Amino acid sequence: MAQHVRAHGVQGKDTIGTRDYAGEKVALAKVEVAYAAYIAERDERVDRDDAKLKQLEQAWKDAITAADKFSAPYNNEFGKIVEARAAKA
């Protein structure tokens, strides 16, 4: 499959499936940071603060919601590109 993708020249494109790649990249980094903080507190064996854990979980979910705003609606962009390029070949 990867060879097939490379053959069509669409691997690594920053315009497929996003409305704003630069903004989405920043938002996804925030999701990762929030998730790491949540997991660190969740996995704390001693003195885990359940109120803090709940706050971190909400921060993580809020970061996901913010990042989702950058995603383009699913309309099979990748499939359309592959089909268009195959038709030209």
Coordinates of all heavy atoms in Angstrom, one line a residue:
M1 N 0.8 -1.2 0.0 CA 0.0 0.0 0.0 C 0.9 1.3 0.0 O 0.6 2.2 -0.7 CB -0.9 0.0 1.2 CG -1.8 1.2 1.4 SD -2.9 1.4 0.0 CE -3.8 2.8 0.5
A2 N 1.9 1.3 0.8 CA 2.8 2.5 0.9 C 3.4 2.8 -0.5 O 3.5 3.9 -0.9 CB 3.9 2.3 1.9
Q3 N 3.8 1.7 -1.2 CA 4.4 2.0 -2.5 C 3.3 2.5 -3.4 O 3.6 3.4 -4.3 CB 4.9 0.7 -3.1 CG 6.2 0.2 -2.4 CD 6.7 -1.1 -2.9 OE1 5.9 -1.9 -3.4 NE2 8.0 -1.3 -2.8
H4 N 2.1 2.0 -3.3 CA 1.0 2.5 -4.1 C 0.8 4.0 -3.8 O 0.6 4.8 -4.8 CB -0.3 1.7 -3.8 CG -1.5 2.1 -4.6 ND1 -1.6 1.8 -5.9 CD2 -2.5 2.9 -4.3 CE1 -2.7 2.3 -6.4 NE2 -3.3 3.0 -5.4
V5 N 0.8 4.4 -2.6 CA 0.6 5.8 -2.2 C 1.7 6.6 -2.8 O 1.4 7.7 -3.4 CB 0.5 5.9 -0.6 CG1 0.5 7.4 -0.2 CG2 -0.7 5.2 -0.1
R6 N 2.9 6.2 -2.6 CA 4.1 7.0 -3.2 C 4.0 7.1 -4.7 O 4.3 8.1 -5.2 CB 5.4 6.3 -2.7 CG 5.8 6.7 -1.3 CD 7.2 6.3 -1.0 NE 7.4 4.9 -1.0 CZ 7.3 4.1 0.1 NH1 6.9 4.7 1.2 NH2 7.5 2.9 0.1
A7 N 3.5 6.0 -5.3 CA 3.4 6.1 -6.8 C 2.5 7.2 -7.2 O 2.7 7.7 -8.3 CB 2.9 4.7 -7.3
H8 N 1.5 7.5 -6.4 CA 0.6 8.5 -6.8 C 0.9 9.9 -6.3 O 0.3 10.9 -6.5 CB -0.9 8.2 -6.3 CG -1.4 7.0 -7.1 ND1 -1.9 7.1 -8.4 CD2 -1.6 5.7 -6.8 CE1 -2.3 5.9 -8.8 NE2 -2.1 5.1 -7.8
G9 N 2.0 10.0 -5.5 CA 2.6 11.2 -5.1 C 1.7 12.0 -4.1 O 1.8 13.3 -4.1
V10 N 1.0 11.4 -3.2 CA 0.2 12.1 -2.3 C 0.6 11.9 -0.9 O 0.0 12.4 0.1 CB -1.3 11.7 -2.4 CG1 -1.9 12.2 -3.8 CG2 -1.6 10.3 -2.3
Q11 N 1.6 11.1 -0.6 CA 2.1 10.8 0.7 C 2.6 12.1 1.4 O 3.4 12.8 0.7 CB 3.1 9.7 0.7 CG 3.6 9.4 2.1 CD 4.7 8.4 2.1 OE1 5.4 8.2 1.1 NE2 4.9 7.7 3.2
G12 N 2.2 12.3 2.6 CA 2.8 13.5 3.3 C 2.2 14.8 2.9 O 2.8 15.8 3.3
K13 N 1.2 14.9 2.2 CA 0.6 16.2 1.9 C -0.1 16.8 3.1 O -0.7 16.2 3.9 CB -0.5 16.0 0.8 CG 0.0 15.4 -0.5 CD 1.0 16.4 -1.2 CE 1.5 15.8 -2.5 NZ 2.5 16.6 -3.1
D14 N 0.1 18.1 3.2 CA -0.4 18.8 4.4 C -1.7 19.6 4.0 O -2.2 20.4 4.8 CB 0.6 19.8 4.9 CG 1.1 20.8 3.9 OD1 0.5 20.9 2.8 OD2 2.1 21.5 4.2
T15 N -2.4 19.2 2.9 CA -3.6 19.8 2.6 C -4.8 18.9 2.6 O -5.9 19.3 2.4 CB -3.5 20.5 1.2 OG1 -3.1 19.4 0.2 CG2 -2.5 21.6 1.1
I16 N -4.5 17.6 2.7 CA -5.6 16.6 2.6 C -6.1 16.4 4.0 O -5.4 16.1 5.0 CB -5.1 15.2 2.1 CG1 -4.6 15.4 0.6 CG2 -6.1 14.2 2.1 CD1 -3.9 14.3 0.0
G17 N -7.4 16.6 4.2 CA -8.1 16.3 5.5 C -8.0 17.4 6.5 O -8.4 17.2 7.6
T18 N -7.4 18.5 6.2 CA -7.3 19.6 7.1 C -7.7 20.9 6.5 O -7.7 21.1 5.3 CB -5.9 19.7 7.7 OG1 -5.8 20.7 8.7 CG2 -4.9 20.0 6.6
R19 N -8.2 21.8 7.4 CA -8.5 23.2 6.9 C -7.4 24.1 7.1 O -7.3 25.1 6.4 CB -9.7 23.7 7.7 CG -10.9 22.9 7.4 CD -12.1 23.3 8.3 NE -13.2 22.3 8.0 CZ -14.4 22.5 8.5 NH1 -14.7 23.5 9.2 NH2 -15.3 21.6 8.2
D20 N -6.5 23.8 8.0 CA -5.3 24.7 8.4 C -4.3 23.8 9.0 O -4.3 23.6 10.2 CB -5.8 25.8 9.3 CG -4.7 26.6 9.8 OD1 -3.5 26.5 9.4 OD2 -4.9 27.5 10.7
Y21 N -3.4 23.3 8.2 CA -2.4 22.4 8.7 C -1.5 22.9 9.8 O -1.3 22.3 10.8 CB -1.5 21.9 7.5 CG -0.4 21.0 8.0 CD1 -0.6 19.7 8.3 CD2 1.0 21.5 8.1 CE1 0.4 18.8 8.8 CE2 2.0 20.6 8.5 CZ 1.7 19.3 8.8 OH 2.7 18.5 9.3
A22 N -1.0 24.2 9.6 CA -0.2 24.8 10.7 C -0.9 24.9 12.0 O -0.4 24.5 13.1 CB 0.3 26.1 10.2
G23 N -2.2 25.3 11.9 CA -3.0 25.4 13.2 C -3.3 24.1 13.8 O -3.3 23.9 15.0
E24 N -3.6 23.1 12.9 CA -3.9 21.7 13.4 C -2.7 21.1 14.0 O -2.8 20.4 15.1 CB -4.4 20.9 12.2 CG -4.8 19.5 12.7 CD -5.4 18.6 11.5 OE1 -5.1 19.0 10.4 OE2 -6.0 17.7 11.9
K25 N -1.5 21.4 13.5 CA -0.3 20.8 14.0 C 0.0 21.3 15.4 O 0.3 20.6 16.3 CB 0.9 21.2 13.1 CG 2.2 20.5 13.5 CD 3.3 20.9 12.5 CE 4.6 20.2 12.9 NZ 5.7 20.5 11.9
V26 N -0.3 22.6 15.7 CA -0.1 23.2 17.0 C -1.2 22.6 17.9 O -0.9 22.2 19.1 CB -0.3 24.7 16.9 CG1 -0.4 25.4 18.3 CG2 0.9 25.3 16.2
A27 N -2.4 22.5 17.5 CA -3.5 22.0 18.3 C -3.2 20.5 18.7 O -3.5 20.1 19.8 CB -4.8 22.1 17.5
L28 N -2.7 19.7 17.7 CA -2.4 18.3 18.1 C -1.3 18.2 19.1 O -1.3 17.3 19.9 CB -2.1 17.6 16.8 CG -3.3 17.3 15.9 CD1 -2.9 16.7 14.6 CD2 -4.4 16.5 16.6
A29 N -0.3 19.1 19.0 CA 0.8 19.1 20.0 C 0.2 19.4 21.4 O 0.6 18.8 22.4 CB 1.8 20.2 19.6
K30 N -0.8 20.3 21.4 CA -1.5 20.6 22.7 C -2.2 19.4 23.2 O -2.3 19.1 24.4 CB -2.4 21.8 22.6 CG -1.7 23.1 22.4 CD -2.6 24.2 22.2 CE -1.8 25.6 22.0 NZ -2.7 26.7 21.8
V31 N -2.8 18.6 22.3 CA -3.5 17.4 22.7 C -2.5 16.4 23.4 O -2.8 15.8 24.4 CB -4.2 16.7 21.5 CG1 -4.7 15.3 21.9 CG2 -5.4 17.6 21.0
E32 N -1.4 16.3 22.7 CA -0.3 15.3 23.2 C 0.2 15.8 24.6 O 0.3 14.9 25.5 CB 0.8 15.3 22.3 CG 0.5 14.5 21.0 CD 1.7 14.4 20.0 OE1 2.9 14.5 20.5 OE2 1.5 14.3 18.8
V33 N 0.4 17.1 24.8 CA 0.8 17.6 26.1 C -0.2 17.3 27.2 O 0.1 16.9 28.3 CB 1.2 19.1 26.0 CG1 1.4 19.7 27.4 CG2 2.5 19.2 25.2
A34 N -1.5 17.6 26.8 CA -2.6 17.5 27.8 C -2.7 16.0 28.2 O -3.0 15.6 29.3 CB -3.9 18.0 27.2
Y35 N -2.6 15.1 27.2 CA -2.8 13.7 27.4 C -1.6 13.2 28.3 O -1.9 12.4 29.2 CB -2.8 12.9 26.1 CG -3.0 11.4 26.3 CD1 -4.2 10.9 26.7 CD2 -2.0 10.5 26.0 CE1 -4.4 9.6 26.9 CE2 -2.1 9.2 26.2 CZ -3.3 8.7 26.6 OH -3.5 7.3 26.8
A36 N -0.4 13.6 28.0 CA 0.7 13.2 28.8 C 0.5 13.6 30.3 O 0.8 12.8 31.2 CB 2.0 13.7 28.3
A37 N 0.0 14.8 30.5 CA -0.2 15.3 31.9 C -1.3 14.4 32.6 O -1.2 14.1 33.7 CB -0.6 16.8 31.9
Y38 N -2.3 14.1 31.8 CA -3.4 13.3 32.3 C -2.9 11.9 32.7 O -3.2 11.4 33.8 CB -4.5 13.2 31.3 CG -5.6 12.1 31.6 CD1 -6.5 12.3 32.7 CD2 -5.6 11.0 30.9 CE1 -7.4 11.3 33.0 CE2 -6.5 10.0 31.1 CZ -7.4 10.1 32.2 OH -8.3 9.1 32.5
I39 N -2.2 11.3 31.8 CA -1.6 9.9 32.1 C -0.7 9.9 33.2 O -0.7 9.0 34.1 CB -0.9 9.4 30.8 CG1 -2.0 9.1 29.7 CG2 -0.2 8.1 31.1 CD1 -3.1 8.1 30.1
A40 N 0.2 10.9 33.3 CA 1.1 11.0 34.4 C 0.4 11.1 35.8 O 0.8 10.4 36.7 CB 2.0 12.2 34.3
E41 N -0.7 11.8 35.9 CA -1.4 11.9 37.1 C -2.2 10.6 37.3 O -2.3 10.1 38.4 CB -2.4 13.1 37.1 CG -3.1 13.3 38.4 CD -2.2 13.7 39.6 OE1 -1.2 14.3 39.4 OE2 -2.6 13.4 40.7
R42 N -2.8 10.1 36.3 CA -3.6 8.9 36.4 C -2.7 7.7 36.9 O -3.2 6.9 37.7 CB -4.2 8.5 35.0 CG -5.1 7.3 35.1 CD -5.4 6.7 33.8 NE -4.2 6.0 33.3 CZ -4.0 5.4 32.1 NH1 -5.0 5.5 31.3 NH2 -2.9 4.8 31.8
D43 N -1.5 7.6 36.4 CA -0.6 6.5 36.8 C 0.1 6.7 38.1 O 0.9 5.9 38.5 CB 0.3 6.2 35.6 CG -0.4 5.7 34.4 OD1 -1.6 5.3 34.5 OD2 0.3 5.6 33.4
E44 N -0.1 7.9 38.7 CA 0.5 8.2 40.0 C 0.1 7.1 41.0 O -1.1 6.9 41.3 CB 0.1 9.6 40.5 CG 0.9 10.1 41.6 CD 2.4 10.4 41.3 OE1 2.6 10.9 40.2 OE2 3.2 10.2 42.1
R45 N 1.1 6.4 41.6 CA 0.7 5.3 42.6 C 0.4 5.8 44.0 O -0.4 5.3 44.7 CB 1.8 4.3 42.6 CG 2.0 3.5 41.3 CD 3.1 2.6 41.4 NE 3.3 1.9 40.2 CZ 3.3 0.6 40.0 NH1 3.2 -0.2 41.1 NH2 3.5 0.0 38.9
V46 N 1.1 6.9 44.3 CA 0.9 7.5 45.7 C 0.5 8.9 45.5 O 0.9 9.7 44.7 CB 2.2 7.4 46.4 CG1 2.1 8.0 47.8 CG2 2.8 6.0 46.5
D47 N -0.5 9.3 46.3 CA -0.9 10.7 46.4 C -1.6 11.2 45.1 O -1.5 12.4 44.7 CB 0.2 11.7 46.8 CG 0.7 11.4 48.2 OD1 -0.1 11.0 49.0 OD2 1.9 11.6 48.4
R48 N -2.3 10.3 44.4 CA -3.0 10.8 43.2 C -4.1 11.7 43.6 O -4.9 11.4 44.5 CB -3.5 9.6 42.4 CG -4.2 10.1 41.1 CD -4.6 9.0 40.2 NE -5.6 8.1 40.8 CZ -5.9 6.9 40.3 NH1 -5.3 6.4 39.3 NH2 -6.9 6.2 40.9
D49 N -4.2 12.8 43.0 CA -5.3 13.8 43.3 C -6.4 13.6 42.3 O -6.3 14.0 41.1 CB -4.7 15.2 43.2 CG -5.6 16.3 43.5 OD1 -6.9 16.1 43.5 OD2 -5.1 17.4 43.8
D50 N -7.5 13.0 42.8 CA -8.6 12.7 41.9 C -9.3 14.0 41.3 O -9.7 14.0 40.1 CB -9.7 11.9 42.6 CG -9.2 10.4 42.8 OD1 -8.4 10.0 42.0 OD2 -9.7 9.8 43.8
A51 N -9.3 15.1 42.0 CA -9.8 16.3 41.5 C -8.9 16.8 40.4 O -9.4 17.3 39.3 CB -10.0 17.4 42.6
K52 N -7.6 16.8 40.6 CA -6.7 17.2 39.5 C -6.8 16.3 38.3 O -6.7 16.8 37.2 CB -5.3 17.2 40.1 CG -4.2 17.6 39.1 CD -2.8 17.6 39.7 CE -1.8 18.1 38.7 NZ -0.4 18.0 39.3
L53 N -7.0 15.0 38.6 CA -7.1 14.0 37.5 C -8.3 14.4 36.6 O -8.2 14.4 35.4 CB -7.2 12.6 38.0 CG -7.3 11.5 37.0 CD1 -6.1 11.4 36.1 CD2 -7.6 10.2 37.7
K54 N -9.4 14.7 37.3 CA -10.6 15.1 36.5 C -10.4 16.3 35.7 O -10.8 16.5 34.6 CB -11.8 15.2 37.5 CG -13.1 15.3 36.9 CD -14.2 15.2 37.9 CE -15.5 14.8 37.2 NZ -16.5 14.4 38.1
Q55 N -9.7 17.3 36.3 CA -9.4 18.6 35.6 C -8.5 18.3 34.4 O -8.7 18.8 33.3 CB -8.7 19.5 36.6 CG -8.3 20.8 36.0 CD -7.6 21.7 37.0 OE1 -6.9 21.2 37.9 NE2 -7.6 23.0 36.7
L56 N -7.5 17.4 34.6 CA -6.6 17.1 33.5 C -7.3 16.4 32.4 O -7.0 16.6 31.2 CB -5.4 16.3 34.0 CG -4.4 17.1 34.9 CD1 -3.4 16.1 35.5 CD2 -3.7 18.2 34.1
E57 N -8.2 15.5 32.8 CA -9.0 14.8 31.7 C -9.8 15.7 30.9 O -9.9 15.6 29.7 CB -9.8 13.7 32.4 CG -10.6 12.9 31.4 CD -11.5 11.8 32.0 OE1 -11.8 11.9 33.3 OE2 -11.9 10.9 31.3
Q58 N -10.4 16.7 31.6 CA -11.2 17.7 30.9 C -10.4 18.5 30.0 O -10.8 18.9 28.9 CB -12.0 18.5 31.9 CG -13.0 19.4 31.2 CD -14.1 18.6 30.4 OE1 -14.7 17.7 30.9 NE2 -14.2 19.0 29.1
A59 N -9.2 18.9 30.4 CA -8.3 19.7 29.6 C -7.9 18.9 28.4 O -7.8 19.5 27.3 CB -7.0 20.1 30.4
W60 N -7.7 17.7 28.5 CA -7.3 16.8 27.4 C -8.5 16.7 26.4 O -8.3 16.9 25.2 CB -6.9 15.4 27.9 CG -6.8 14.3 26.9 CD1 -6.2 14.4 25.7 CD2 -7.3 13.0 27.0 NE1 -6.2 13.2 25.0 CE2 -7.0 12.3 25.8 CE3 -8.1 12.3 27.9 CZ2 -7.3 11.0 25.5 CZ3 -8.4 11.0 27.7 CH2 -8.1 10.4 26.5
K61 N -9.7 16.5 26.9 CA -10.9 16.5 26.0 C -11.1 17.8 25.3 O -11.5 17.9 24.2 CB -12.1 16.1 26.8 CG -12.1 14.6 27.3 CD -13.3 14.2 28.1 CE -13.2 12.8 28.5 NZ -14.4 12.4 29.3
D62 N -10.9 18.9 26.1 CA -11.0 20.2 25.5 C -10.0 20.5 24.3 O -10.3 21.1 23.3 CB -10.9 21.3 26.5 CG -12.1 21.4 27.5 OD1 -13.1 20.7 27.2 OD2 -11.9 22.0 28.6
A63 N -8.8 20.0 24.5 CA -7.8 20.1 23.5 C -8.2 19.3 22.3 O -7.9 19.7 21.1 CB -6.4 19.6 24.1
I64 N -8.8 18.1 22.5 CA -9.2 17.3 21.3 C -10.3 18.1 20.6 O -10.3 18.1 19.3 CB -9.8 15.9 21.8 CG1 -8.6 15.1 22.3 CG2 -10.5 15.2 20.7 CD1 -9.0 13.8 23.0
T65 N -11.3 18.6 21.3 CA -12.3 19.4 20.7 C -11.8 20.6 19.8 O -12.2 20.8 18.7 CB -13.3 19.9 21.7 OG1 -13.9 18.8 22.4 CG2 -14.4 20.7 21.1
A66 N -10.8 21.3 20.4 CA -10.2 22.4 19.7 C -9.5 21.9 18.4 O -9.6 22.5 17.4 CB -9.2 23.1 20.6
A67 N -8.8 20.8 18.5 CA -8.0 20.2 17.4 C -9.0 19.7 16.3 O -8.7 19.9 15.1 CB -7.1 19.1 17.8
D68 N -10.1 19.2 16.7 CA -11.1 18.7 15.7 C -11.6 19.8 14.8 O -12.1 19.5 13.7 CB -12.3 18.0 16.4 CG -12.0 16.7 17.0 OD1 -10.9 16.1 16.5 OD2 -12.8 16.1 17.8
K69 N -11.6 21.0 15.2 CA -12.1 22.1 14.4 C -11.3 22.4 13.2 O -11.7 23.0 12.2 CB -12.2 23.4 15.3 CG -13.2 23.3 16.4 CD -13.2 24.5 17.2 CE -14.2 24.3 18.3 NZ -14.2 25.4 19.3
F70 N -10.1 21.8 13.2 CA -9.2 22.0 12.0 C -9.4 20.9 10.9 O -9.0 21.1 9.8 CB -7.7 22.0 12.4 CG -7.3 23.2 13.2 CD1 -7.3 23.1 14.6 CD2 -7.0 24.4 12.6 CE1 -6.9 24.3 15.3 CE2 -6.6 25.5 13.3 CZ -6.6 25.4 14.7
S71 N -10.1 19.8 11.3 CA -10.3 18.7 10.4 C -11.3 19.1 9.3 O -12.3 19.7 9.7 CB -10.7 17.5 11.1 OG -9.8 17.0 12.0
A72 N -11.0 18.8 8.1 CA -12.0 19.0 7.0 C -13.0 17.9 7.1 O -12.7 16.8 7.6 CB -11.3 18.9 5.7
P73 N -14.2 18.2 6.7 CA -15.3 17.1 6.7 C -14.8 16.0 5.8 O -14.2 16.2 4.8 CB -16.5 17.8 6.2 CG -16.2 19.2 5.9 CD -14.7 19.4 6.2
Y74 N -15.1 14.8 6.2 CA -14.7 13.6 5.4 C -15.5 13.6 4.1 O -16.7 13.6 4.1 CB -15.0 12.3 6.2 CG -14.6 11.1 5.4 CD1 -13.2 10.8 5.3 CD2 -15.5 10.3 4.7 CE1 -12.8 9.7 4.5 CE2 -15.1 9.3 3.9 CZ -13.8 8.9 3.8 OH -13.4 7.9 3.1
N75 N -14.7 13.6 3.1 CA -15.3 13.6 1.7 C -14.4 12.7 0.8 O -14.5 12.9 -0.4 CB -15.6 14.9 1.2 CG -14.3 15.7 1.0 OD1 -13.2 15.2 1.1 ND2 -14.4 17.0 0.6
N76 N -13.6 11.8 1.4 CA -12.8 10.9 0.6 C -11.8 11.6 -0.3 O -11.7 11.2 -1.5 CB -13.7 9.9 -0.2 CG -12.9 8.7 -0.7 OD1 -11.8 8.4 -0.1 ND2 -13.4 8.1 -1.7
E77 N -11.2 12.7 0.2 CA -10.3 13.4 -0.6 C -9.2 12.6 -1.2 O -8.8 12.6 -2.4 CB -9.6 14.6 0.2 CG -10.5 15.7 0.4 CD -9.8 16.8 1.2 OE1 -8.9 17.5 0.6 OE2 -10.0 16.9 2.4
F78 N -8.6 11.7 -0.3 CA -7.5 10.8 -0.8 C -8.0 9.9 -1.9 O -7.3 9.8 -2.9 CB -7.0 10.0 0.4 CG -5.9 9.1 0.1 CD1 -4.6 9.5 -0.1 CD2 -6.1 7.7 -0.1 CE1 -3.6 8.7 -0.5 CE2 -5.1 6.9 -0.4 CZ -3.8 7.3 -0.6
G79 N -9.1 9.3 -1.7 CA -9.6 8.4 -2.8 C -9.8 9.1 -4.1 O -9.5 8.6 -5.2
K80 N -10.4 10.3 -4.0 CA -10.6 11.1 -5.2 C -9.3 11.4 -5.9 O -9.2 11.4 -7.2 CB -11.3 12.4 -4.9 CG -12.8 12.1 -4.5 CD -13.5 13.4 -4.1 CE -14.9 13.1 -3.6 NZ -15.5 14.4 -3.1
I81 N -8.2 11.8 -5.2 CA -6.9 12.1 -5.8 C -6.3 10.9 -6.5 O -5.9 10.9 -7.6 CB -6.0 12.6 -4.7 CG1 -6.4 14.0 -4.2 CG2 -4.5 12.7 -5.2 CD1 -5.7 14.5 -3.0
V82 N -6.4 9.7 -5.8 CA -5.9 8.5 -6.3 C -6.6 8.1 -7.6 O -6.0 7.8 -8.6 CB -5.9 7.3 -5.3 CG1 -5.6 6.0 -6.0 CG2 -5.0 7.6 -4.1
E83 N -7.9 8.2 -7.6 CA -8.7 7.9 -8.8 C -8.4 8.8 -9.9 O -8.3 8.4 -11.1 CB -10.2 7.9 -8.4 CG -10.6 6.7 -7.6 CD -12.1 6.8 -7.2 OE1 -12.9 7.6 -7.8 OE2 -12.5 6.0 -6.3
A84 N -8.3 10.1 -9.6 CA -8.0 11.1 -10.7 C -6.6 10.8 -11.3 O -6.5 10.9 -12.6 CB -8.1 12.5 -10.1
R85 N -5.7 10.5 -10.5 CA -4.3 10.2 -11.0 C -4.3 8.9 -11.8 O -3.6 8.8 -12.8 CB -3.3 10.3 -9.9 CG -3.2 11.6 -9.3 CD -1.9 11.9 -8.7 NE -1.9 13.2 -8.2 CZ -0.9 13.8 -7.6 NH1 0.2 13.0 -7.3 NH2 -0.9 15.0 -7.1
A86 N -5.1 7.9 -11.4 CA -5.1 6.6 -12.1 C -5.7 6.8 -13.4 O -5.3 6.2 -14.4 CB -5.9 5.6 -11.2
A87 N -6.7 7.7 -13.5 CA -7.4 7.9 -14.8 C -6.5 8.6 -15.8 O -6.6 8.4 -17.0 CB -8.7 8.8 -14.6
K88 N -5.5 9.4 -15.3 CA -4.6 10.1 -16.2 C -3.5 9.1 -16.7 O -2.9 9.4 -17.7 CB -3.9 11.2 -15.5 CG -4.9 12.4 -15.2 CD -4.1 13.5 -14.4 CE -5.1 14.6 -14.0 NZ -4.4 15.6 -13.3
A89 N -3.3 8.0 -16.0 CA -2.2 7.1 -16.3 C -2.5 6.2 -17.5 O -3.5 6.1 -18.0 CB -1.8 6.3 -15.1

